[in-house]
Amino acid sequence: MNMARNISNPTSGFPEKSDLLRLPFLDLAADYLEMSTEIDAAVARVLHSGWFILGNEVAGFEADFAAYCGVNHAVGVASGTDALLLALRALDIGAGDEVITVAHTAVATVTAIELSGATPVFVDVEPATGTLDATLLPAAINRRTRAIIPVHLYGHPADLEPILTVARQHGRIALVEDCAQAHGATYHGRPVGSWGDVAAFSFYPTKNLGALGDGGAIVTNDGAVAERLRALRQYGWHERYISQVAGFNSRLDELQAAVLRVKLRRLDERNGARRRLAALYNEQLTGSSLLLPSEWPGSRHVYHLYAVQSRQRDRLQEFLKSSGIGTAVHYPVPVHLQPAYRRLGHQAGSLPVTERLAQQLLSLPLYPQLQPAQIETICDCIMAFEKQTGQI
Ligand SMILES: *Cc1c(COP(=O)(O)O)cnc(C)c1O
């Protein structure tokens, strides 16, 4: 198969049309096409304005996004990683400090902690949701602990109340929410991002609110923190050419902000579509041996990903692939066991739930344009695999 491809098109690594998956894991072009008129108009408006960095579009988007999250301030930056990094720096967290988070996350959570100069400390996750297990916090806290970063994984909020309780008992420990996968999710009826001292969002194209390139934002109710963030994202300037603090260059550009304003207006509708498709998956897979995603009562999961747990994960993924269905694993190797982070001193077995999830989780296709009939096809295929392997 590969040989045939190389012979038919020796100069390109791209697959021939016939090799393309029938049901891809993601379809970002479909996402653009659905809003192309408004997006094209927004892009043209920026091009004609002649203003490309930190202008009216960014200010407009920041106001819209703060209101959407139910907070006073939003500050646009260049990526989700930078949003976390600047959030920590704005809280004056850096060298000599420890920040508690999970190893079952996108590596960027940990990248950001290390870029700030602080040391990441990992705790294990809850088996049902894969989010930070608050009961493990007390044993991980010491006098150097300055922040806790729970990750609202796959669109599902971490259990914030017990985490906040522990943080407040210790006084100077900040809560920094990693909301990169959870735009529009709520916990006890209130938006994620409004619970922490600060919260970081990513607008990487695949996220529920995705730009046409990189982007991110920090939200907070604290005006002084917001002001520090605005300086930090642009060379530490409070006024032009005078750096009050040592800053960064991490700006959201006008084109991305203009596109994000269009997409933000449709976010609730699209999260609703994700939730309906997830409910259909749940219904169709009820008789299977898979462990399906769960939701806290009173929370709103926005299904950035629809991830199931299977004891035969690799075989199931292979079976679906051979049937033309794309899937993905989030994440195959937990951060504490990745080559770059071995130096932090964790051994295999130190985070047992995290490590088991890395072997069992499989993300199925889920995006707003997916048709119910396509979900039925995927579920039929999964049930056929389960029968064939004697699991049901
Ligand atoms: C995507 C993501 C990030 C990083 O966002 P970038 O915009 O890619 O830098 C951080 N944390 C989590 C949980 C993510 O999924």
Side-chain angles (χ1 to χ4, degrees):
M1 177 95 153
N2 277 331
M3 291 255 302
R5 180 150 81 216
N6 288 340
I7 289 161
S8 66
N9 188 359
T11 57
S12 137
F14 292 108
E16 298 290 306
K17 200 107 197 155
S18 60
D19 294 335
L20 292 174
L21 288 172
R22 197 156 50 89
L23 241 163
F25 179 65
L26 257 179
D27 188 351
L28 291 181
D31 201 61
Y32 163 66
L33 289 172
E34 218 177 73
M35 293 178 259
S36 63
T37 311
E38 288 158 280
I39 289 177
D40 290 353
V43 168
R45 188 171 72 228
V46 173
L47 296 183
H48 284 98
S49 78
W51 192 285
F52 301 115
I53 297 281
L54 297 186
N56 291 336
E57 300 291 346
V58 170
F61 172 69
E62 288 175 339
D64 294 350
F65 195 61
Y68 181 83
C69 295
V71 297
N72 294 335
H73 309 278
V75 179
V77 295
S79 71
T81 308
D82 280 1
L84 284 164
L85 162 64
L86 268 61
L88 293 172
R89 293 304 302 138
L91 297 171
D92 206 24
I93 293 169
D97 299 328
E98 291 186 359
V99 175
I100 299 175
T101 191
V102 289
H104 184 46
T105 181
V107 73
T109 314
V110 181
T111 309
I113 295 170
E114 290 209 319
L115 283 172
S116 79
T119 302
V121 173
F122 299 121
V123 294
D124 213 347
V125 294
E126 312 209 347
T129 64
T131 57
L132 193 148
D133 183 344
T135 64
L136 302 174
L137 285 173
I141 289 174
N142 62 40
R143 58 189 170 74
R144 287 153 64 121
T145 308
R146 290 287 316 282
I148 302 169
I149 308 187
V151 178
H152 304 311
L153 196 72
Y154 309 149
H156 188 274
D159 200 2
L160 291 170
E161 224 145 54
I163 298 171
L164 266 171
T165 303
V166 176
R168 286 192 182 127
Q169 274 162 3
H170 289 82
R172 49 186 188 86
I173 299 181
L175 177 65
V176 178
E177 295 175 72
D178 184 339
C179 301
Q181 303 188 358
H183 319 68
T186 63
Y187 176 79
H188 293 192
R190 239 175 70 199
V192 301
S194 68
W195 291 81
D197 296 281
V198 282
F201 287 85
S202 162
F203 307 123
Y204 183 76
T206 61
K207 311 287 182 177
N208 285 31
L209 179 60
L212 304 181
D214 278 311
I218 305 119
V219 301
T220 181
N221 278 318
D222 187 327
V225 167
E227 194 162 317
R228 275 203 290 283
L229 287 166
R230 288 182 200 286
L232 285 173
R233 75 173 165 187
Q234 179 154 258
Y235 319 126
W237 287 353
H238 284 276
E239 61 183 299
R240 215 169 174 75
Y241 306 125
I242 313 287
S243 296
Q244 295 292 341
V245 292
F248 301 83
N249 173 358
S250 181
R251 298 171 294 216
L252 184 64
D253 67 65
E254 289 282 284
L255 274 174
Q256 299 305 343
V259 170
L260 288 166
R261 288 174 89 179
V262 171
K263 290 194 163 191
L264 180 58
R265 292 200 287 272
R266 306 278 290 273
L267 179 59
D268 281 341
E269 169 202 319
R270 298 155 72 75
N271 280 343
R274 287 176 183 272
R275 285 176 58 80
R276 282 193 297 281
L277 294 168
L280 187 58
Y281 265 129
N282 286 342
E283 188 189 304
Q284 303 257 319
L285 294 174
T286 298
S288 74
S289 72
L290 303 176
L291 197 56
L292 306 178
S294 54
E295 280 180 51
W296 314 120
S299 289
R300 181 181 151 89
H301 190 329
V302 290
Y303 292 96
H304 169 58
L305 296 169
Y306 183 88
V308 298
Q309 296 176 43
S310 163
R311 266 171 275 106
Q312 312 244 21
R313 193 266 313 278
D314 293 346
R315 285 179 66 195
L316 174 59
Q317 181 171 37
E318 202 43 53
F319 184 87
L320 290 172
K321 187 178 169 198
S322 66
S323 312
I325 296 166
T327 60
V329 173
H330 301 93
Y331 297 89
V333 181
V335 178
H336 69 298
L337 299 180
Q338 293 185 23
Y341 299 98
R342 286 279 187 166
R343 63 186 152 71
L344 292 172
H346 286 267
Q347 306 302 318
S350 61
L351 300 171
V353 180
T354 293
E355 291 167 37
R356 180 165 49 84
L357 291 177
Q359 284 168 8
Q360 300 195 344
L361 279 162
L362 184 66
S363 305
L364 304 178
L366 185 81
Y367 42 92
Q369 299 81 10
L370 201 64
Q371 297 300 309
Q374 294 177 301
I375 299 230
E376 281 166 25
T377 302
I378 296 164
C379 293
D380 287 348
C381 202
I382 291 171
M383 295 313 261
F385 171 81
E386 294 247 304
K387 289 210 180 83
Q388 188 184 306
T389 54
Q391 297 188 77
I392 51 170

